């Protein structure tokens, strides 16, 4: 039995991880569940999976979870021998608890950095969905992976695809890799049309059902930018060798171009349970019943190059990635703040890119030696992004009033 810690168990990846575990009860045992504030959903998971360690985002979420025991004898009983923690320390304790063989790192944003890093340092294999971990702290995380010799298994569908496509290819034969992008909710809109979009429109992704931050990141294409940086770290690829193409159908997840002109591509259904399962069972492959490509329904596979004028966030991410050092951490933190404010309807969708760009321009680059430096950079960038966002808030709320 593989003992699993799920960081972000109430999220989109977390829930799909549990459904993979449901499909193979003889293989997996849930040891830890880490969630944010959705304590109602977490309570159901605790009753069903009986973890030994549970952690929530903060003390008030812990209190709300404890309050749910009233009138719920199943929850009361299920919590009896559980270590019930909160905050970053709680997430670290759950990620590194005894009996954990593999961590599913699926928190969203910077919150996942420390628990993921601590699990790696403890010698625990990690299935990585939380791409922001590598964007913010790639250098430190990859150094820890090399030192501890653990497996860092990609869950993002494009990276799971690259992991498989590159597996048997000699590195000197690879000319470049291409990761595909669906184009997000606004792929058919011009930039002028984006002036008037609302949050609820941005949250309608054409192909995938994902968490809110990621759905907004897909609409700006910042998500693909974060993935380019993630691919750089996971596969030691220079940025010149990583390209992106828009592919409406989300069936081809990556292509590897070889020096003689051949291409090796990976195709898979639009179903995150495939990469999740492979990251949990690797190196073994296990049958996953319902997920098959339905070739009857596929009449075309289309590919378009990226227009960087249309998607400036992707350009910013490439630039931050190429500059390296503290720039990617700044890009990530500024983007997290801007996306949160868009989701709270305090700034317009089109404010994200200028906020990130201005924060990057204001940043005095630093070399990244320790996690403490990453944290300092992250804190600075969040503060700077709040300041930049302030310029958008009053005009936006006035505009909304008169709309
Ligand atoms: N969804 C996908 O299809 C997909 C595909 C590829 C990669 N990814 C990556 O996987 C990660 C997760 O994505 P998602 O779509 O699953 O996000 P999501 O649905 O928003 O889930 C995020 C999870 O993290 C928890 N959380 C957030 N902040 C926390 C904190 N400070 N402390 C503890 N828990 C916290 C949330 O808890 P509550 O909900 O309880 O508050 C939730 O369980 C992201 O980095 C994303 O880019 C996702």
């Amino acid at each position: 039995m593989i003992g699993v810690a799920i960081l972000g168990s109430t999220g989109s990846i977390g829930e799909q991880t549990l459904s993979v575990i449901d499909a193979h009860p003889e293989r997996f045992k849930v040891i830890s569940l880490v969630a944010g504030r959705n304590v109602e959903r977490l309570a159901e998971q605790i009753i069903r999976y009986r973890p030994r360690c549970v952690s929530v985002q903060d003390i008030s979420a812990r209190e709300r979870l404890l309050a749910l025991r009233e009138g719920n004898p199943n929850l009361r009983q299920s919590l009896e021998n559980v270590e019930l923690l909160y905050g970053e320390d709680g997430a670290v304790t759950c990620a590194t608890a005894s009996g954990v063989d593999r961590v599913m790192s699926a928190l969203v944003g910077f919150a996942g950095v420390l628990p993921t890093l601590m699990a790696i340092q403890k010698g625990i294999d990690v299935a990585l969905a939380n791409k922001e971990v590598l964007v913010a702290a790639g250098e430190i995380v990859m150094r820890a992976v090399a030192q501890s010799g653990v497996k860092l298994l990609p869950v993002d569908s494009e990276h799971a695809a690259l992991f498989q496509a590159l597996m048997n290819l000699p590195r000197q034969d690879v000319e470049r890799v291409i990761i595909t992008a669906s184009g997000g909710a606004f792929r058919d809109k011009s930039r002028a049309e984006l002036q008037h979009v609302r949050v609820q429109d941005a949250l309608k992704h054409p192909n995938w059902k994902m968490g809110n931050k990621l759905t907004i990141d897909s609409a700006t294409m910042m998500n693909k930018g974060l993935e380019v940086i993630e691919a750089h770290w996971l596969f030691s690829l220079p940025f010149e060798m990583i390209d992106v193409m828009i592919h409406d159908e989300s069936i081809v997840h990556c292509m590897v171009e070889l020096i003689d002109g051949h291409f090796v591509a990976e195709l898979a259904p639009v179903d995150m349970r495939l990469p999740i399962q492979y990251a949990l069972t690797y190196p073994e492959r296990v049958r996953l019943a319902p997920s098959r490509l339905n070739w009857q329904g596929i009449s075309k596979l289309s590919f378009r190059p990226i227009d960087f004028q249309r998607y400036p966030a992707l350009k910013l991410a490439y630039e931050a990635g190429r500059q390296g050092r503290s720039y990617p951490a700044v890009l990530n933190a500024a983007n997290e703040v801007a996306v949160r404010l868009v989701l709270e309807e305090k700034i317009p969708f089109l404010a994200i890119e200028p906020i990130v760009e201005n924060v990057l321009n204001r940043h005095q680059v630093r070399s990244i030696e320790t996690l403490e430096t990453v944290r300092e950079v992250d804190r600075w960038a969040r503060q700077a992004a709040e300041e930049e966002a302030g310029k958008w808030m009053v005009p936006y709320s006035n505009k909304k009033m008169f709309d």
Side-chain angles (χ1 to χ4, degrees):
M1 288 277 252
I2 299 172
V4 184
I6 305 176
L7 314 184
S9 67
T10 49
S12 161
I13 293 290
E15 296 254 61
Q16 292 179 84
T17 301
L18 288 168
S19 94
V20 166
I21 288 175
D22 287 344
H24 308 289
E26 73 297 348
R27 280 177 185 270
F28 301 112
K29 162 92 187 94
V30 175
I31 305 290
S32 308
L33 294 175
V34 176
R37 298 199 171 109
N38 185 354
V39 292
E40 291 77 16
R41 187 75 194 108
L42 180 61
E44 290 165 14
Q45 295 176 349
I46 292 167
I47 293 168
R48 175 156 184 172
Y49 297 99
R50 299 295 183 110
R52 290 208 292 269
C53 188
V54 171
S55 183
V56 288
Q57 188 160 341
D58 48 32
I59 194 159
S60 74
R62 185 179 188 274
E63 277 161 12
R64 284 193 297 115
L65 181 60
L66 287 173
L68 290 178
R69 289 178 309 184
E70 303 310 316
N72 189 338
N74 281 344
L75 181 61
R76 177 175 292 281
Q77 199 193 6
S78 308
L79 278 173
E80 254 161 27
N81 297 314
V82 169
E83 210 176 344
L84 182 49
L85 307 164
Y86 66 91
E88 199 177 46
D89 291 348
V92 169
T93 305
C94 283
T96 55
S98 83
V100 174
D101 303 303
R102 206 157 279 198
V103 168
M104 170 55 71
S105 170
L107 295 183
V108 63
F110 191 83
V113 171
L114 190 67
T116 307
L117 184 62
M118 291 295 125
I120 292 169
Q121 286 180 347
K122 205 180 164 201
I124 300 170
D125 291 336
V126 170
L128 185 73
N130 185 182
K131 64 198 81 179
E132 294 92 339
V133 168
L134 280 183
V135 176
E139 217 166 313
I140 289 167
V141 170
M142 294 316 288
R143 200 187 308 145
V145 168
Q147 279 166 0
S148 63
V150 301
K151 296 183 198 74
L152 186 60
L153 300 154
V155 171
D156 236 322
S157 55
E158 299 76 5
H159 304 74
L162 275 176
F163 180 69
Q164 295 170 79
L166 290 170
M167 211 175 261
N168 298 313
L169 292 173
R171 186 47 63 98
Q172 68 273 18
D173 292 354
V174 175
E175 178 94 10
R176 65 171 176 148
V177 304
I178 298 168
I179 56 176
T180 57
S182 67
F186 301 141
R187 68 184 177 200
D188 299 321
K189 285 196 191 305
S190 68
R191 272 200 83 75
E193 287 171 306
L194 295 181
Q195 303 270 4
H196 308 291
V197 295
R198 286 284 161 103
V199 180
Q200 54 270 34
D201 306 317
L203 290 177
K204 288 179 198 144
H205 194 281
N207 299 353
W208 302 92
K209 176 94 192 74
M210 313 176 294
N212 286 351
K213 187 218 173 223
L214 176 51
T215 312
I216 302 287
D217 282 348
S218 297
T220 56
M221 201 70 95
M222 179 62 86
N223 177 51
K224 216 41 60 175
L226 302 179
E227 287 182 9
V228 167
I229 299 172
E230 185 186 11
H232 161 78
W233 286 116
L234 279 172
F235 306 108
S236 307
L237 289 166
F239 286 92
E240 299 67 50
M241 284 177 71
I242 310 171
D243 284 333
V244 176
M245 277 189 130
I246 296 193
H247 168 51
D248 288 352
E249 296 80 14
S250 295
I251 287 174
V252 176
H253 301 287
C254 82
M255 294 182 271
V256 179
E257 185 172 4
L258 303 176
I259 51 172
D260 62 0
H262 278 98
F263 275 85
V264 175
E266 187 265 9
L267 287 73
V270 183
D271 184 344
M272 282 308 295
R273 289 174 305 165
L274 268 82
I276 289 171
Q277 176 174 291
Y278 191 45
L280 290 180
T281 62
Y282 178 85
E284 217 181 317
R285 265 184 210 279
V286 178
R287 189 165 287 278
L288 186 63
S291 255
R292 289 288 179 270
L293 269 183
N294 173 14
W295 287 103
Q296 305 285 335
I298 301 167
S299 55
K300 65 167 185 162
L301 295 175
S302 57
F303 300 93
R304 286 173 279 153
I306 293 286
D307 171 0
F308 284 98
Q309 307 279 348
R310 169 68 183 77
Y311 292 111
L314 180 55
K315 189 160 168 253
L316 288 173
Y318 264 109
E319 280 165 9
R322 284 200 184 97
Q323 302 255 21
R325 294 163 291 165
S326 50
Y327 279 114
V330 170
L331 173 96
N332 178 62
N335 181 59
E336 278 192 37
V337 169
V339 171
R340 174 175 51 76
L341 293 172
V342 166
L343 286 167
E344 290 169 3
E345 298 194 72
K346 291 188 176 146
I347 58 172
F349 176 77
L350 276 183
I352 296 173
E353 293 139 348
I355 288 172
V356 175
E357 183 171 14
N358 289 349
V359 175
L360 282 166
N361 286 339
R362 284 169 54 180
H363 180 58
Q364 306 259 317
V365 68
R366 297 178 62 178
S367 55
I368 297 285
E369 301 298 339
T370 63
L371 188 61
E372 199 35 51
T373 320
V374 182
R375 279 187 189 282
E376 282 168 21
V377 168
D378 178 82
R379 274 196 295 270
W380 174 84
R382 279 170 203 273
Q383 175 63 37
E386 294 280 357
E387 288 160 19
E388 293 296 327
K391 298 175 193 163
W392 293 84
M393 283 184 193
V394 173
Y396 187 57
S397 61
N398 288 346
K399 182 183 166 299
K400 271 203 310 191
M401 251 178 355
F402 296 111
D403 263 358

